[in-house]
Amino acid sequence: MARKMLNDGEPDLKIGEEQGKNYDFDLFIIGAGSGGVRAARFSSNFGAKVGICELPFHPISSETIGGVGGTCVIRGCVPKKILVYGASYGGDLEDARNFGWELNENVDFNWKKLLQKKTDEINRLNGIYKRLLSNAGVKLFEGEGRIASPNEVEVTQLDGTKLSYSAKHILIATGSRAQRPNIPGQELGITSDEALSLEEFPKRAVILGGGYIAVEFASIWRGMGSNVNLVFRKELPLRGFDDEMRAVVARNLEGRGINLHPRTNLTQLIKTEGGIKVITDHGEELIADVVLFATGRAPNSKRLNLEKVGVEFDKAGAIVVNEYSRTNIPSIWAVGDVTNRLNLTPVALMEASLFAKTVFGGQASKPDYNAIPYAVFCIPPLSVVGLSEEDAIEQTKGDILIFTSTFNPMKNTVSGRQEKTVMKLVVDAQTDKVLGASMCGPDAPEILQGIAIALKCGATKAQFDSTVGIHPSAAEEFVTMRTETRRVTGGVKPKTNL
């Protein structure tokens, strides 16, 4: 969730500017991912002269390889969603038989074909992002950027030559990178970068982690036919989400054939002729073709020269910024995952847009982190907006009303799949305001995006109830939950260790 930031008043944009100096650029951006490209385009549209640098393109990142489009486009959200679509057909083909489709018993899956289609798409998007920058009049440099001084960026090109450019403002938008646990044999494992580009499909997979990436890849590989073991330290996956919805996700993962290992960690990986031997802290041994470390990401800030220039950063390497995304050096700003506030692509886009409006649009604008929707693209997906039940109990003084609906989706009544959809509303009993909404089931992200607008507008439960539903649809359940499931007391810290 959002980190504590430095607070200050409306920014004085003349601080940090050398009076009478002519700069090469009004703005120079290090990092051409989602946030960097958005800031570049919007700043240019406000009339700024903008330069931006990015590492050369490759699907798997390193300290010297990246690509215009960044993590989300090249090795994150987009390719992941393509693989989720591919994996979903596995279950759909099973369900199709009861809808009259006579399918042969053996249906083959071609991993390499899907992988090539995925690669073609990220190559296409990489080109689109470059054209967006060019069409906006932004100068793109390919190479590694570092901050030489508060108003100077040094770019190391592919041939090793260094170029220096002065800029009135510098924006850091270098994102984050996947981390590996420090255990013996960790070099035998992979991160999500490599998982999106495996040459051979893993028939046996062990995944360490209980967050977004872990449960999404568990669903992807299982949907394609792999034997998957998901290992995580807590009782339930997706720590930080609503506990009730976490339990639903865990039940669905198991229902789809994924082997869950809660309250478990890995201690060692050993290479053998039969595959990678995985040893847990309970002494259990698993054999895998692939071991995926989905154990978190860290801000990508190590090579930026921050310490020498005096930019403040925390122990994790996250750049500390104020409400306007400004660092303690007035000419240097930062947005996106490198600041470790709320690490989602749409949030980086919001921060970048408001940075441009603040610095070049003449309108000081702070990001608003309230009612931000997000989704976990497991199969079926989970999507949430607003407060979880646990957060509401802790943050609200009065009583909280919980409304839930658990039902068998219409498609499942015919296919025979035993998988319930669960919806939930968290309501302030005193004001009737809807504080949070969540759903686990088919199309959850598409439905919750609309619900997010309602919460952003401060909708009440009475307004939900007065809304006419679309029938037959799952979404109509959100406006027909009339009877409260339970009433809980707010203003206390909820007891949970899940």
Side-chain angles (χ1 to χ4, degrees):
M1 299 297 110
R3 288 192 318 125
K4 184 177 181 181
M5 296 171 281
L6 297 173
N7 292 312
D8 65 2
E10 191 167 306
D12 182 352
L13 299 179
K14 292 185 179 180
I15 298 177
E17 177 183 340
E18 295 183 33
Q19 297 299 317
K21 178 176 175 61
N22 292 319
Y23 295 96
D24 296 324
F25 293 96
D26 297 311
L27 171 66
F28 199 99
I29 303 170
I30 302 176
S34 297
V37 170
R38 173 64 63 88
R41 293 172 56 218
F42 279 34
S43 297
S44 183
N45 289 341
F46 282 125
K49 183 180 180 182
V50 182
I52 190 170
C53 67
E54 178 55 72
L55 297 168
F57 172 82
H58 194 277
I60 301 174
S61 69
S62 72
E63 291 182 335
T64 57
I65 293 174
V68 175
T71 296
C72 179
V73 169
I74 299 171
R75 62 193 72 85
C77 326
V78 172
K80 177 269 305 283
K81 187 71 179 292
I82 290 172
L83 296 191
V84 169
Y85 281 135
S88 297
Y89 282 105
D92 288 345
L93 288 169
E94 293 175 4
D95 295 347
R97 289 184 170 88
N98 280 342
F99 282 92
W101 291 91
E102 301 294 341
L103 302 174
N104 295 328
E105 289 302 316
N106 295 320
V107 178
D108 293 329
F109 170 67
N110 189 328
W111 165 255
K112 291 189 175 181
K113 183 174 183 177
L114 176 59
L115 203 65
Q116 184 58 54
K117 291 291 185 181
K118 180 272 300 181
T119 301
D120 291 345
E121 177 60 10
I122 64 173
N123 284 332
R124 185 184 74 87
L125 292 172
N126 175 251
I128 286 176
Y129 271 68
K130 287 181 177 179
R131 287 195 295 275
L132 287 172
L133 291 171
S134 177
N135 292 341
V138 176
K139 177 66 175 175
L140 172 62
F141 299 89
E142 191 169 62
E144 182 179 10
R146 62 193 292 273
I147 301 172
S149 75
N151 294 100
E152 184 180 6
V153 173
E154 180 183 88
V155 180
T156 302
Q157 299 186 108
L158 302 184
D159 61 4
T161 58
K162 299 181 186 298
L163 304 173
S164 292
Y165 297 97
S166 61
K168 187 181 296 186
H169 300 279
I170 297 171
L171 176 66
I172 301 169
T174 49
S176 61
R177 295 188 60 205
Q179 300 298 292
R180 294 169 176 265
N182 186 22
I183 60 173
Q186 60 92 12
E187 71 280 359
L188 299 174
I190 63 172
T191 69
S192 56
D193 282 8
E194 295 88 356
L196 290 162
S197 298
L198 290 174
E199 291 187 9
E200 299 295 332
F201 177 72
K203 294 181 179 179
R204 302 166 298 177
V206 171
I207 301 172
L208 175 62
Y212 288 79
I213 294 171
V215 299
E216 288 172 345
F217 271 99
S219 288
I220 288 168
W221 285 334
R222 180 58 195 155
M224 295 172 179
S226 179
N227 178 275
V228 178
N229 287 276
L230 180 61
V231 178
F232 48 95
R233 292 180 295 177
K234 293 292 185 177
E235 182 66 31
L236 292 170
L238 299 175
R239 180 170 60 90
F241 284 77
D242 186 287
D243 284 349
E244 187 173 10
M245 304 309 289
R246 293 168 67 197
V248 173
V249 171
R251 190 162 60 243
N252 288 343
L253 293 174
E254 286 190 305
R256 295 265 176 165
I258 296 166
N259 305 305
L260 303 187
H261 301 262
R263 297 190 181 278
T264 304
N265 208 341
L266 301 188
T267 59
Q268 188 177 8
L269 306 185
I270 303 170
K271 188 174 183 179
T272 71
E273 290 186 2
I276 302 171
K277 182 189 290 186
V278 181
I279 301 176
T280 76
D281 56 359
H282 299 308
E284 186 179 7
E285 293 185 2
L286 305 168
I287 296 294
D289 301 311
V290 162
V291 178
L292 170 63
F293 296 133
T295 48
R297 300 178 64 85
N300 187 21
S301 62
K302 289 182 180 179
R303 295 165 64 95
L304 292 172
N305 202 34
L306 299 178
E307 194 167 6
K308 185 175 181 181
V309 179
V311 176
E312 185 179 350
F313 55 92
D314 66 17
K315 292 180 180 179
I319 297 174
V320 179
V321 294
N322 68 11
E323 298 169 288
Y324 296 95
S325 299
R326 196 178 208 172
T327 73
N328 62 306
I329 305 297
S331 58
I332 300 176
W333 311 69
V335 297
D337 286 14
V338 75
T339 66
N340 198 28
R341 287 177 280 183
L342 187 56
N343 298 336
L344 298 167
T345 296
V347 172
L349 295 174
M350 172 183 68
E351 292 169 354
S353 301
L354 297 179
F355 157 81
K357 185 182 287 187
T358 296
V359 179
F360 300 108
Q363 184 178 345
S365 305
K366 305 174 186 178
D368 179 4
Y369 297 95
N370 292 314
I372 291 175
Y374 41 104
V376 182
F377 290 97
C378 46
I379 302 174
L382 167 68
S383 191
V384 302
V385 62
L387 300 182
S388 67
E389 180 176 344
E390 291 72 32
D391 288 338
I393 291 172
E394 189 171 355
Q395 297 178 26
T396 307
K397 292 182 179 180
D399 284 358
I400 306 295
L401 304 180
I402 306 299
F403 296 83
T404 60
S405 178
T406 302
F407 58 93
N408 209 23
M410 181 182 289
K411 182 179 176 183
N412 289 1
T413 63
V414 175
S415 70
R417 181 174 294 279
Q418 298 301 306
E419 193 171 74
K420 303 288 188 180
T421 287
V422 179
M423 293 179 173
K424 184 172 185 176
L425 290 175
V426 178
V427 180
D428 186 318
Q430 182 176 357
T431 65
D432 197 43
K433 185 177 179 180
V434 179
L435 303 176
S438 51
M439 173 182 175
C440 186
D443 302 317
E446 310 297 335
I447 294 170
L448 263 292
Q449 180 67 80
I451 300 294
I453 299 172
L455 265 64
K456 194 73 172 178
C457 294
T460 64
K461 182 62 168 63
Q463 289 171 323
F464 269 66
D465 293 343
S466 67
T467 302
V468 176
I470 297 172
H471 183 76
S473 71
E476 67 180 313
E477 289 291 323
F478 271 118
V479 299
T480 58
M481 287 189 270
R482 300 281 194 266
T483 305
E484 67 189 61
T485 304
R486 57 187 174 273
R487 177 185 288 256
V488 294
T489 302
V492 297
K493 189 160 183 71
K495 296 179 181 179
T496 177
N497 190 33
L498 301 177

